[in-house]
Amino acid sequence: SERGEGEARRNMSAVWNYFKVNEDDKTKADCKLGGSKGCAFNTSNLIKHLKSQHDNEYKEFTHASKPTQPTLQQTLARREKMSRDNPRAVKITQAIIEYIALSDQPLSEVENVGFLRLLHVLEPRYDVPGRRYMTDTELPKLHDSVKKHIHSLLQTSSAFSFTTDIWTSSVSPVSLISLNCQWIDESFTPQRAVLHAKQFRGSHTSQAIAHVFEEMLQTWGIPKTSVHVVLRDNAKNMIKAMNDAGLPSLPCVAHTLQLAVHEGLLAQRSIADAIAVGRKIVGHFKHSALAYSRLEDIQGQLNQPIKRLQQDVQTRWNSTYYMLQSLIEQK
């Protein structure tokens, strides 16, 4: 039934290339090719007129209204998987690795069942590469592409400022040193880029830090004369490293403030004792789901907003302030 209706619609649209509605009687049609005027306004009569009066046009009409059948090769091509070097497959693969990088997704995402189902719906012919291919081929290609782009951006300025720090990963025994770059391009637009999060092996002596820092600058082709300032912490080895490398540097304001608050306020015995008690209370609720549930019940009974206690980090004085504030709110 649906096929018959489809063919009827095609016939009607094609046959009207040779007819027009009669101006005096809207229920009839006039032949544009000459001859009959006022044919009955239905598709069958119009087609009969073409067949009996205009043989060439009738052949043209039947050819135009004939449904096209895909060839066997076309049908098979729609079902077979695209090759990896197919232009569309290449674009999809690039989009996947960019999605993984920009969204901080694991490379195992290409093996995720839900992700595979989504791609199959969007493009059934696309064959998703495995995790090893993404790791060994696509990720290095993306890294090289981004590196070339940043290199081109760095050419727009002759002066750069940097921030740097050394820290240890919480998930693996690896020390890292960072190098973040800020500059103003030719259109006076502030730009920034993370140039390095480099593994730092061995002792963190000033000589070792200076050597690694010089290596990072050389990697990006940035001469020392183009370094406006390096923002660092107040550690003695970091201060001496910048001096040894001949680089202008300044201490971080936030780190300096942390040291000042710690020495001037948090070092007082009474405050230190109060903070220790506060940490113990928060720690009790952090490590007991039952205790937290009971606290939320009490908050609800007293018509207070449901709030969780804040745990502090000793190297951030403002987090200690927020911890004490969250405790006072529950007093």
Side-chain angles (χ1 to χ4, degrees):
S1 175
E2 291 181 357
R3 182 178 179 181
E5 291 177 0
E7 292 180 355
R9 285 194 295 270
R10 283 194 297 270
N11 289 341
M12 177 170 287
S13 61
V15 78
W16 276 100
N17 292 329
Y18 310 98
F19 293 88
K20 62 180 181 180
V21 178
N22 188 289
E23 295 180 358
D24 299 324
D25 187 351
K26 302 300 182 183
T27 64
K28 297 185 180 298
D30 295 338
C31 178
K32 296 179 181 179
L33 304 172
S36 176
K37 289 184 177 291
C39 292
F41 200 116
N42 64 70
T43 305
S44 299
N45 284 341
L46 301 182
I47 295 174
K48 287 178 181 178
H49 174 79
L50 272 184
K51 184 176 181 180
S52 61
Q53 302 295 327
H54 310 285
D55 187 58
N56 291 334
E57 284 75 9
Y58 176 74
K59 292 178 181 178
E60 182 182 89
F61 159 74
T62 55
H63 178 73
S65 60
K66 185 183 297 184
T68 57
Q69 288 281 8
T71 65
L72 178 60
Q73 290 81 1
Q74 290 173 331
T75 302
L76 294 176
R78 291 175 184 173
R79 294 183 178 180
E80 68 181 17
K81 294 291 186 179
M82 292 185 291
S83 62
R84 188 162 288 175
D85 58 354
N86 180 289
R88 176 161 173 75
V90 171
K91 291 187 67 175
I92 295 175
T93 303
Q94 290 175 346
I96 291 175
I97 195 65
E98 289 177 7
Y99 153 72
I100 290 174
L102 293 172
S103 304
D104 293 326
Q105 298 297 321
L107 288 162
S108 60
E109 182 74 2
V110 294
E111 300 171 353
N112 184 290
V113 175
F115 184 71
L116 293 175
R117 287 180 179 177
L118 172 63
L119 288 179
H120 181 72
V121 171
L122 296 176
E123 179 50 86
R125 297 184 301 139
Y126 178 68
D127 190 12
V128 184
R131 175 179 178 177
R132 180 175 293 278
Y133 177 82
M134 286 299 204
T135 303
D136 297 342
T137 304
E138 290 301 322
L139 192 59
K141 282 168 56 178
L142 179 62
H143 175 270
D144 291 342
S145 176
V146 173
K147 187 175 181 179
K148 289 178 181 178
H149 177 65
I150 293 177
H151 261 300
S152 66
L153 293 178
L154 293 176
Q155 305 306 312
T156 63
S157 179
S158 59
F160 306 94
S161 297
F162 299 92
T163 58
T164 188
D165 194 15
I166 301 174
W167 76 98
T168 301
S169 172
S170 60
V171 295
S172 61
V174 176
S175 290
L176 300 169
I177 183 169
S178 63
L179 182 65
N180 303 320
C181 183
Q182 297 86 28
W183 72 97
I184 297 177
D185 62 17
E186 296 171 332
S187 61
F188 294 95
T189 303
Q191 302 286 349
R192 62 180 179 177
V194 179
L195 302 185
H196 277 285
K198 182 181 179 66
Q199 184 176 358
F200 193 171
R201 300 174 63 88
S203 179
H204 297 176
T205 64
S206 59
Q207 293 85 355
I209 295 173
H211 178 69
V212 171
F213 210 91
E214 289 175 342
E215 281 186 340
M216 293 190 296
L217 291 177
Q218 290 173 5
T219 298
W220 292 94
I222 300 175
K224 293 182 181 180
T225 54
S226 296
V227 177
H228 174 250
V229 71
V230 179
L231 195 66
R232 47 158 177 80
D233 60 23
N234 291 274
K236 292 182 179 180
N237 59 345
M238 187 65 77
I239 296 173
K240 190 173 187 305
M242 295 299 106
N243 292 332
D244 292 345
L247 296 170
S249 66
L250 288 173
C252 171
V253 173
H255 188 259
T256 303
L257 182 60
Q258 164 68 25
L259 295 177
V261 172
H262 188 274
E263 292 297 324
L265 184 63
L266 304 183
Q268 297 184 38
R269 181 62 182 272
S270 58
I271 295 177
D273 290 345
I275 292 174
V277 172
R279 285 177 183 151
K280 189 173 182 179
I281 295 173
V282 175
H284 169 71
F285 286 99
K286 284 288 184 181
H287 295 92
S288 173
L290 180 62
Y292 241 131
S293 297
R294 180 56 181 154
L295 175 62
E296 291 177 349
D297 291 340
I298 295 174
Q299 289 173 337
Q301 292 171 6
L302 298 176
N303 295 321
Q304 291 185 349
I306 304 299
K307 289 187 176 181
R308 300 181 71 85
L309 301 176
Q310 301 295 317
Q311 182 71 65
D312 77 324
V313 179
Q314 295 188 34
T315 56
R316 295 187 177 93
W317 71 269
N318 56 338
S319 68
T320 303
Y321 168 79
Y322 293 136
M323 179 189 72
L324 297 174
Q325 183 181 54
S326 68
L327 285 168
I328 292 173
E329 289 175 349
Q330 304 305 318
K331 186 175 179 181

